[in-house]
Amino acid sequence: MSSAGYRVQNPASGEIVETFDTASQADVDTALDRAHTAYQSWREMPIEERGKIVKRVAELFTERKDELAQIIADEMGKPLPEGVEEAEYCTDIFNYFADNGPTLAADQEIPTFSEGKAYVERRPIGVLLGIMPWNFPYYQVARFAAPNFMLGNTIILKHAEICPRSAQAIQQIMDDAGVPAGVYNNLFASHDQIAEIIADPRVQGVSLTGSERAGSVVGALAGKHLKKAVLELGGSDPYVILDTDDVKEAAKTAWETRMYNTGQACNSNKRMIVMDDIYDEFVSELTSLAEGMRPGGPGDDYETTYTPLSSKEAADRLDAQVQQAVKDGATLRAGGTRGDGAYYAPTVITDVTSDMEAYREELFGPVAVVYKVSSDEEALTLANDTDFGLGGAVFSKDKARAEKIAQQLDVGMSNVNTPAGEGAEVPFGGVKRSGFGRELGPLGMDEFVNKRMYYVAD
């Protein structure tokens, strides 16, 4: 954790606006006690009754969307329209699980050749720890909390150090929606306290969205203490364009996808793989789009301006990666410059080769890396030549051609003719160094659950 601890830090200037106390040992003990005690009654409440409370949580996210958007604009620089959209997406997620949870968690009878009946029951397992990142402060929590509320699990939530106000806003929504005391517990925990919580026998699982480094540490702790873990880590998603009737529009879609949340999304299209006959025009258009953007604030027209990254440290780290790529021989087509505070100019890079660090790294910010290929086979090989495996997309006028490649991507989420198939009902997660486990959709209720076999003899 940063030595600055929990704080609101203006990403444009770096000024620390407000600080928050890290949890005391008494706070940790209280959270564990409350979560465990609440579990005893929460799990016994009929799932339909839990669903009514979850529906109210959903309503409050939309009712407070403008306030919520302003909070994360102040904390991590998210454009206001994107913040509103994120809050509304949380409503969709809580509604989906409230509406579909009873069906998704229903007992499943298994055909048996013996004299009796066998079932798989989906039952809660207990207290869960969630460790959430700053890039989507509400959405990340919603996709973890919603299915587990419906299952009857209880939650201790450790949010990112730069998102204390949004963490408190979520807790307020839970309280105001009627989530019983102890079912959801926001905790400004330290790294040492996180290790203590994972070790506690009352805690039965941990979900982390974050970096590979954080995932490795948390995964090791979960394994040491025999706890279930779900890890959603980094990504370097391939975005393959085989052909198009409108290169300008294809570049615009690719650029808008890359710039969403100022490029700070795990499943962003960080590697654009473009067929050689449209490559030059595509790169030219992408470069023009990048050069046409100007620094601005969260309330400005986010289609023509860009906001700062989450922190000066994040901008420094991205700049070092870009400068190293250029030093290694990559071509800088646009951007590549630091601005004030945490601003980083939208950047386009080409001619990255497999011997460069940039070929393997995740570039978490407004940087488009474009590769040229001359065959479908070369595109597929390049797309899969990465340690990550979160998502990927393939575009072609010939859907069958795109599908042939998309079906061979080594990723958790593969898409044809769209940057990403998204929705509360669509599972999210990856393979390889992008982590394991799934959130959202039917699979979101199949992680932290006791799939108990129940057999009744005749």
Side-chain angles (χ1 to χ4, degrees):
M1 185 173 66
S2 168
S3 59
Y6 287 86
R7 76 277 185 196
V8 176
Q9 187 168 8
N10 186 324
S13 66
E15 175 193 3
I16 295 179
V17 178
E18 186 179 6
T19 60
F20 295 75
D21 291 336
T22 301
S24 66
Q25 185 61 47
D27 293 332
V28 173
D29 293 340
T30 297
L32 286 163
D33 288 342
R34 282 164 52 92
H36 181 65
T37 299
Y39 172 64
Q40 309 310 315
S41 55
W42 181 241
R43 67 178 178 180
E44 298 302 328
M45 182 185 291
I47 191 170
E48 292 79 9
E49 293 302 309
R50 291 197 294 267
K52 292 177 182 177
I53 298 173
V54 172
K55 291 288 280 188
R56 182 57 184 150
V57 172
E59 292 171 354
L60 289 177
F61 268 98
T62 290
E63 288 179 17
R64 300 177 184 179
K65 62 184 180 182
D66 293 326
E67 171 193 345
L68 295 172
Q70 187 60 60
I71 290 171
I72 55 177
D74 293 340
E75 288 181 327
M76 47 75 65
K78 189 185 291 283
L80 289 173
E82 292 184 12
V84 168
E85 185 178 66
E86 182 176 343
E88 292 174 337
Y89 193 16
C90 292
T91 293
D92 293 341
I93 292 169
F94 281 102
N95 273 332
Y96 170 81
F97 285 105
D99 293 338
N100 296 281
T103 299
L104 296 174
D107 294 350
Q108 175 187 352
E109 185 173 355
I110 302 172
T112 176
F113 300 108
S114 58
E115 295 181 354
K117 291 193 174 184
Y119 305 85
V120 171
E121 299 176 318
R122 287 175 169 80
R123 300 176 62 83
I125 59 173
V127 180
L128 306 176
L129 171 64
I131 305 172
M132 296 296 132
W134 49 261
N135 58 337
F136 291 92
Y138 305 124
Y139 158 69
Q140 304 282 5
V141 174
R143 70 186 195 185
F144 168 58
N148 286 302
F149 278 171
M150 291 303 295
L151 285 166
N153 295 318
T154 59
I155 290 170
I156 295 174
L157 201 292
K158 184 263 183 226
H159 219 314
E161 286 85 354
I162 64 170
C163 293
R165 286 182 184 168
S166 49
Q168 290 179 333
I170 296 170
Q171 180 71 69
Q172 193 64 55
I173 284 176
M174 300 303 178
D175 295 344
D176 293 346
V179 175
V183 170
Y184 184 91
N185 306 269
N186 178 63
L187 187 69
F188 292 152
S190 68
H191 286 181
D192 288 343
Q193 289 168 339
I194 287 302
E196 175 190 342
I197 293 167
I198 294 174
D200 192 284
R202 291 167 291 187
V203 174
Q204 297 302 310
V206 55
S207 178
L208 174 137
T209 298
S211 67
E212 288 180 86
R213 179 174 173 271
S216 177
V217 172
V218 169
L221 286 168
K224 177 181 178 181
H225 298 289
L226 302 178
K227 306 293 176 70
K228 172 65 184 282
V230 168
L231 303 177
E232 196 269 280
L233 310 178
S236 190
D237 290 10
Y239 188 94
V240 182
I241 304 178
L242 301 175
D243 56 60
T244 178
D245 285 329
D246 192 338
V247 176
K248 185 173 182 178
E249 185 62 28
K252 182 174 183 288
T253 299
W255 181 249
E256 290 176 349
T257 301
R258 187 67 189 100
M259 282 299 295
Y260 194 81
N261 204 28
T262 320
Q264 299 166 116
C266 297
N267 63 327
S268 185
N269 52 339
K270 300 185 180 82
R271 295 181 298 138
M272 301 180 193
I273 301 169
V274 183
M275 203 58 68
D276 53 6
D277 59 337
I278 59 174
Y279 173 86
D280 288 339
E281 184 180 354
F282 181 89
V283 171
S284 177
E285 183 61 30
L286 211 64
T287 301
S288 177
L289 290 167
E291 291 176 338
M293 301 194 77
R294 298 291 178 265
D300 294 334
D301 180 0
Y302 73 111
E303 293 185 357
T304 57
T305 63
Y306 61 94
T307 55
L309 298 185
S310 62
S311 67
K312 182 179 181 296
E313 291 76 16
D316 288 342
R317 183 165 55 250
L318 182 64
D319 185 50
Q321 291 175 301
V322 170
Q323 299 312 318
Q324 184 63 50
V326 173
K327 181 180 178 181
D328 290 342
T331 302
L332 184 66
R333 303 286 186 131
T337 56
R338 285 282 280 109
D340 295 334
Y343 280 97
Y344 196 78
T347 299
V348 178
I349 298 176
T350 59
D351 305 311
V352 171
T353 58
S354 60
D355 58 341
M356 299 179 188
E357 291 180 11
Y359 186 86
R360 298 292 173 189
E361 294 176 326
E362 177 182 26
L363 301 179
F364 210 64
V367 178
V369 181
V370 191
Y371 296 86
K372 178 167 63 175
V373 293
S374 57
S375 69
D376 291 14
E377 292 74 20
E378 185 182 1
L380 176 62
T381 298
L382 177 56
N384 283 336
D385 189 17
T386 174
D387 295 332
F388 296 103
L390 192 53
V394 186
F395 294 80
S396 175
K397 295 179 293 183
D398 182 348
K399 188 167 69 171
R401 181 186 179 192
E403 285 189 285
K404 184 176 181 181
I405 292 180
Q407 288 171 351
Q408 298 178 76
L409 293 179
D410 297 330
V411 297
M413 302 173 288
S414 187
N415 305 275
V416 173
N417 288 339
T418 183
E422 294 182 332
E425 74 284 3
V426 178
F428 189 103
V431 295
K432 299 194 283 189
R433 295 189 70 85
S434 290
F436 45 78
R438 294 294 181 269
E439 295 179 302
L440 298 179
L443 302 186
M445 284 190 66
D446 244 11
E447 291 290 349
F448 296 105
V449 61
N450 174 12
K451 300 170 189 173
R452 186 173 76 174
M453 190 284 295
Y454 185 68
Y455 185 86
V456 180
D458 288 342

